[in-house]
Amino acid sequence: AVVSTQSGHYGRGDETVELVNNTSPYGLTGSIYCRDRSVLEDTHNKLRHTAGNIYFNDKSTGSVVGQQPFGGSRASGTNDKAVSLNLVSKWTSPQAIKETLVPLTKHTYPYMEQ
């Protein structure tokens, strides 16, 4: 499932975050797009347990094999980052975060332009 919301222009940010946080029993990967760093951090804190990997201002592509650990959250998995050195994750709930500091100019990948 893909959930896409835009709330900044409508002043309903908290309501949107609550909807995302309480709607799905699953959570593999997610992205948060925001220009205001404090809002980004606040939103991440509220959505901390919604996905195994979270991207800040970047496309939600899933984990990069061999570079990022991966495990889902909620009913998507145990979030134990299978096949990684993070064995302590069996008793914790680590979360991989990738942040892009340069704004995206397009949402497509090169193979989509062929």
Side-chain angles (χ1 to χ4, degrees):
V2 175
V3 177
S4 178
T5 63
Q6 179 180 358
S7 61
H9 297 292
Y10 306 107
R12 299 175 67 179
D14 289 336
E15 183 180 327
T16 302
V17 168
E18 193 67 27
L19 178 69
V20 170
N21 195 31
N22 295 315
T23 301
S24 178
Y26 303 100
L28 285 174
T29 302
S31 292
I32 301 170
Y33 294 88
C34 187
R35 291 183 183 153
D36 184 327
R37 184 73 183 177
S38 64
V39 173
L40 180 72
E41 290 174 2
D42 182 57
T43 302
H44 174 242
N45 285 333
K46 291 176 181 175
L47 299 177
R48 180 171 300 280
H49 301 291
T50 59
N53 290 358
I54 291 191
Y55 296 81
F56 292 167
N57 296 318
D58 201 2
K59 295 174 273 191
S60 175
T61 60
S63 63
V64 178
V65 176
Q67 294 181 19
Q68 292 173 290
F70 183 77
S73 186
R74 300 179 176 182
S76 290
T78 60
N79 203 19
D80 61 0
K81 310 299 185 203
V83 193
S84 76
L85 299 175
N86 297 324
L87 297 179
V88 73
S89 65
K90 286 285 190 187
W91 300 277
T92 62
S93 186
Q95 182 177 66
I97 297 173
K98 177 181 183 268
E99 179 175 5
T100 300
L101 299 175
V102 178
L104 293 175
T105 57
K106 59 184 179 176
H107 68 281
T108 59
Y109 291 96
Y111 74 88
M112 295 175 169
E113 297 170 4
Q114 297 176 358

